[in-house]
Amino acid sequence: MTTPRPDDEPTSAELELLEWLDKYDDALARGETIEFPSDLAKKFDKLPRWVQCLERLGSLAIPQTIDSGAPGSSSRSSSSLTQLPRDFGAYELLEELGRGGMGVVYLGRHRKLDTHFAVKMIRTSEFASEEEIRRFFQEAQAASRLKHPNIVSVHDAGELDGLPFLVMQYIRGETLSERTKREPLDLDGAVRILIPVARAVDYLHSQGIIHRDVKPANVLIDDDGVPHVTDFGLAKVFNVNQEQTATGTVIGTPAYMAPEQAWGKTNTVCAANDIYSLGAILYELIVGQTPFPESNPLDQILRLRDSEPRPPRRVNPLVPIELEQICLRCLEKQPGLRYETAKDLADDLERFLHSEPITLKPIGVWQRIRRWVRREPALVSHLAGFLTMAIIIEIRQILASQPRASFYPVMVILLTWSLLATAMQKLLIRGKLWVRYVWVAMDAVLFTVALNFAQPPIESLLLGYPMLIAACSLWYEPTVVLVMTIASVVSYLTLFTLRGDSQTPVHYPFIVTGMLLVVGGITFGLIRRIRKLLDLQANG
Amino acid sequence: MSAQPSRIRQLISDARDGDAAARDELFQCCRNYVAVVARTQVESWMRTKVDASDLVQQTLLDAHQGFEQFQGTEEGEWLAWLKQILAHNTQDFIRRYRTAKRAVGKEVSGDRQTESRAGILENLRESIDSPSQALMAHERELELADAISRLSPDHQEVIHLRSLQRLSFNEVAERMGRSRPATQMLWFRAVEKLEEILKENSPE
């Protein structure tokens, strides 16, 4: 049944089992249980025993949530390090406020001053070298000089028991990400929140600090609804933003990261990175999803580099055109094309709010085409191909002494093909991934129909089939290549039966079929290999 | 239920009566348990691989020296007592580990160590008077820890990182230098194996 096989490739049933065990394990950590589907229990008779095993492991595991109860509660047994409240230098740590990549934030009370602060304890093993300690305090020093109503001020920094910590202003409220999860903001509300955030980021820039990690979780909204930016500059010291491994791969969800940052070009870190992130926040606030909502980090990184986000108005038609312009300008791929300063962005947002004309000039035609190419590459390449073909046929028609019979049918086919491709693209943008299969099959069929009308001998035009197979590999999807190969072979054989040249030797069709299969097979293999490599990189 | 809890109870009682062999056996039984818990505690705090054998050694030593102060009779109480000593030592261990890593070559002051040692036993005396119900709940942890330490090194690692330290599979995959699917599969194989070992050890 489940004896380990040498290659240990999971079967599909095992994959499903893994997924459920994983879900169960996560639920267990939260103190809940979930039901397994009954067919799974039938397939794996040992399931109850594994579940029991997981439950027992849970009792030895580190507790997921920190018990902030009184001393003597169960957290005491797990580790005195997590016991609260506890003494911490001049402070008493009362409860945990949150934890992130770098450390844990506690609500602390200064005993002498009797004031509440947020105490951030840095908890990373990388944090060991003199150099990093020095940089940490240097950043803390720079941060402590800042004074801005929308920036969380830093009051103190130090080291206790070898743990560096930062004492910051305590903002009572919630983060912007919690706020939006609770209830989406309306358009005006979103802009109203973002203006002070952009001004705060601009203030940071004027002080020579690049935030590098502007995201909703780093914007705290106090009880009066005023936003406060936190955690600036620290990303540089701890490198949490890039989270790069030695090989330079990016891990995590780069949802708010500028493309140049996501690709690890650390030498280009500048104000434009933060402006991109502000744009990504704006996008999420007005559209309801991040610019590249792919769940898989691999696809997210690929899209972040190669494609454009869907224009906000396509997702949410209520977004005014000015707001869309402002947003997309922040999300430009090239840093130089974004707003020059965060202040310009804030000013434009303010103008938008007061219904004044924004300063942004509409983008040029060239830039518009580039955006389109990146957004809908499949459609653009199809149309470009048709246009080239049409031009060639048109010239031939003009030069010909007498009208050719194939001219009109072929032109009609090209036109139909263009319309269908546009429709396919529209469906694809709605997230219907099966469209790709229909699209490639349609390509093979329509190409064959066009060939059917072409003047004989058509043998040289058969090169179109391997071209189609090669082109569809740009989806990076092995099954798409498979579908295209099959469709090409079937179409070709049909074409040959319908209007085979009597002079063609009988065995040629077999050779052509064989060659098509080889091209398809090689392309299929290459795509699979590329996906595996990328997957390996993205997941460490 | 396996016969082990009653065996531990017997060992505790014998050791208390001055049976040195029983006392040695009692500590031998718990070594794997202390090692598993120590590693979980230290690594989930430090977020990296740490050799916690010093911590295990120190904890067992403290428990050995302070054995007279242990008042309980049950396995659950015994393990809770060990965990408490471990928790105190963990704080100390992490502090020393960090300072040592920072100031390579600088010897850590011995005075401070002895001082904190005395403090630990002092603190323990207070907390032992009030054995908490919650601490005694997991009587079969000892058996589990033994089973974990009988796994192959890779299986141990993946169980530690994923199931005990509760890292996400992405983090585990990165730490182990494998792809995520391979790590998930490895974890599943480890759970399978663990279940087999546990079944073998507990005749029903």
Side-chain angles (χ1 to χ4, degrees), chain A residues 235-267:
Chain A
K236 185 167 83 188
V237 180
F238 300 103
N239 225 3
V240 285
N241 201 344
Q242 277 92 349
E243 287 198 48
Q244 285 183 348
T245 59
T247 51
T249 46
V250 184
I251 298 159
T253 308
Y256 306 96
M257 212 183 285
E260 68 273 15
Q261 226 175 336
W263 281 91
K265 293 187 196 157
T266 36
N267 53 342

Side-chain angles (χ1 to χ4, degrees), chain A residues 307-332:
Chain A
S307 58
E308 290 283 318
R310 294 181 65 189
R313 283 158 60 82
R314 296 258 181 98
V315 193
N316 177 4
L318 294 176
V319 174
I321 190 150
E322 294 86 357
L323 202 52
E324 176 176 286
Q325 279 177 5
I326 293 175
C327 184
L328 288 181
R329 185 57 65 95
C330 297
L331 296 177
E332 284 286 355

